[in-house]
Amino acid sequence: MSDLAPVVAAPRASPAAARLAALIGLALCVALLGALSIAVGARAVGWPDLLAGLTGGTETIGQAAVALRIPRTLMACAAGAALALSGAIMQGITRNPLADPGILGINNGAALAVVIGIAWFGLASPASFVWLAILGAGITAGFVYAVGSLGRGGATPLKLALAGAATSVAFSSLTLAVVLPRADIAGGVRSWQVGGVGGMTPDRIHLVLPVLLAGFALAMLSARRLNMLALGDEVAAGLGERVAAARAMAALAAIMLCGATTAVCGPIGFVGLVIPHVCRLLLGVDHRWVLPASALGGAALLTASDILGRLVARPAELEVGIVTALIGAPVFIAIVRRHRVRAL
C-alpha cells in the first residue's frame, strides 16, 4: 500500500452523544465529591471507619463523623442542584444572564418571610418555614419583575438586575431590623442567614425533599417551553405556545426550588448565576440539556464549596454561603464587564 494513501478520518461524535458524555462526566464528578465530602472534615476518616459508617456503624468517633456527614453531603447536593436549576430557569424566563435567586433578591425575600414568621407569629415548625419561604420567594419574584417592568422598554435585563439588587439590600436590612430587637432568636437567625449545610439531619431532608422533587419535575417539564420563550414572546405565541402559562409554570418551579432550599439552608448566593453559564458554554443553549447539566453542576459546586470551607479553616469551618460568594462574585463582575446584560 502506498504511503500516500488517503487517511480515513475517524467519525466525529454526534452533538447528542457529546452532551450525554458531559452529563455522565458531571454525574461522576458529583459522586466523587460526595464520597470526598463524607471522608473529609475536621477529623480524617480511614477506610474501615468510612465503610462501617456508611452501613450505619457509630462505634468509633470516625464512624460517628461519617454518620453526621452523610445528611450534610446529601443536602449539599440537593441544595446545589436546586439553586443552579432555579437560576437557569430564571435566566431562561427573563432572557437575563444576570438572573439568579440571590441577585434578584428572591433568597432574601424568602429569608425575610421566615424571620417574620418566627419573630412576629411565633412559628417554630420546620414545615411552616418551608411554605413561608416559598411564599416569600414568590412575592419577591413578582415584586422585582413588576418594578423592573416600569418605564420604557419593559423588563430589560439591566432593569431587572438593578431592581433585584435594590430589593435584596432592602430585604436584608428589614430582616436585620426584625431580628435585632429579639435577642432570643438573633443568634440562630444570624447563623442561618449566612447559608450553610452544617448540622443537617435526615428529618430536615425528608421535610424538604417532596418540594424539591416537585420543583425538579416541573423544571424538566418546562425545558421545551423555555426553548420557545428564548425565541421571543411573539414568535413563541405564533408557534402555538401559551406564553403566560409557560412562564408561570417555569417560575413556579424556580420559586419552589429556591424557596425550599432557603428555608433549610439559609440564603446561598451565586450558585444559580455561575453554573448555568458554564453549562451553556459546554452544551449550548438547549434547555433540555442545560437544565439537567445545571442541576448536576450545582450539586458539584456546592459540595466542593462545603469541602473547601471545612479544609481552609480546619478544625473550624467556613459556612458554604461564604465560599460560594467568594467564588461567584468575580464571575458576576466578569459577566458585567463583558457587557452581557443583554437578552440571552
Side-chain angles (χ1 to χ4, degrees):
M1 181 180 293
S2 171
D3 292 338
L4 300 178
V7 177
V8 177
R12 293 184 178 181
S14 67
R19 289 168 174 170
L20 182 59
L23 289 182
I24 293 174
L26 284 171
L28 292 175
C29 183
V30 172
L32 178 61
L33 286 169
L36 189 62
S37 175
I38 294 172
V40 171
R43 173 180 292 274
V45 177
W47 281 107
D49 283 341
L50 180 61
L51 295 175
L54 289 174
T55 56
T58 57
E59 296 176 358
T60 67
I61 296 177
Q63 293 174 16
V66 170
L68 291 174
R69 290 173 191 167
I70 291 174
R72 177 175 187 155
T73 300
L74 292 176
M75 194 65 239
C77 291
L83 291 172
L85 196 53
S86 178
I89 292 171
M90 290 179 185
Q91 291 171 15
I93 292 173
T94 61
R95 298 195 294 277
N96 178 1
L98 298 180
D100 165 79
I103 292 172
L104 294 184
I106 296 174
N107 282 349
N108 280 338
L112 176 61
V114 172
V115 168
I116 288 175
I118 295 172
W120 292 357
F121 298 99
L123 298 180
S125 168
S128 65
F129 297 163
V130 173
W131 296 113
L132 269 178
I134 292 173
L135 178 62
I139 293 173
T140 305
F143 176 76
V144 170
Y145 191 83
V147 172
S149 301
L150 297 176
R152 297 175 58 183
T156 64
L158 183 57
K159 287 164 63 179
L160 283 173
L162 293 174
T167 302
S168 180
V169 172
F171 283 3
S172 180
S173 300
L174 287 173
T175 301
L176 288 175
V178 173
V179 170
L180 285 177
R182 295 291 304 272
D184 56 327
I185 65 172
V189 169
R190 286 175 186 170
S191 176
W192 170 77
Q193 275 187 291
V194 175
V197 292
M200 200 58 56
T201 63
D203 289 343
R204 294 173 71 183
I205 295 176
H206 294 155
L207 174 68
V208 78
L209 188 60
V211 181
L212 293 181
L213 290 177
F216 286 138
L218 280 176
M220 296 308 168
L221 290 174
S222 300
R224 185 190 65 81
R225 292 183 167 185
L226 288 173
N227 287 340
M228 299 288 282
L229 293 177
L231 302 174
D233 290 357
E234 293 183 0
V235 175
L239 293 173
E241 186 63 65
R242 293 182 294 176
V243 173
R247 185 169 280 118
M249 178 178 175
L252 177 61
I255 289 167
M256 290 174 66
L257 291 170
C258 69
T261 301
T262 301
V264 176
C265 302
I268 299 174
F270 292 107
V271 177
L273 174 71
V274 173
I275 293 300
H277 282 282
V278 175
C279 292
R280 289 191 190 94
L281 289 174
L282 293 175
L283 302 173
V285 297
D286 188 343
H287 285 89
R288 292 173 297 179
W289 295 98
V290 169
L291 294 186
S294 294
L296 291 172
L301 176 61
L302 202 66
T303 305
S305 298
D306 186 40
I307 295 171
L308 183 61
R310 281 183 263 167
L311 292 178
V312 296
R314 200 168 181 176
E317 63 181 54
L318 288 178
E319 293 290 358
V320 71
I322 298 173
V323 180
T324 57
L326 292 173
I327 295 172
V331 176
F332 176 74
I333 294 170
I335 295 171
V336 173
R337 285 180 62 85
R338 291 184 181 184
H339 306 286
R340 293 187 179 182
V341 292
R342 63 182 183 276
L344 290 172

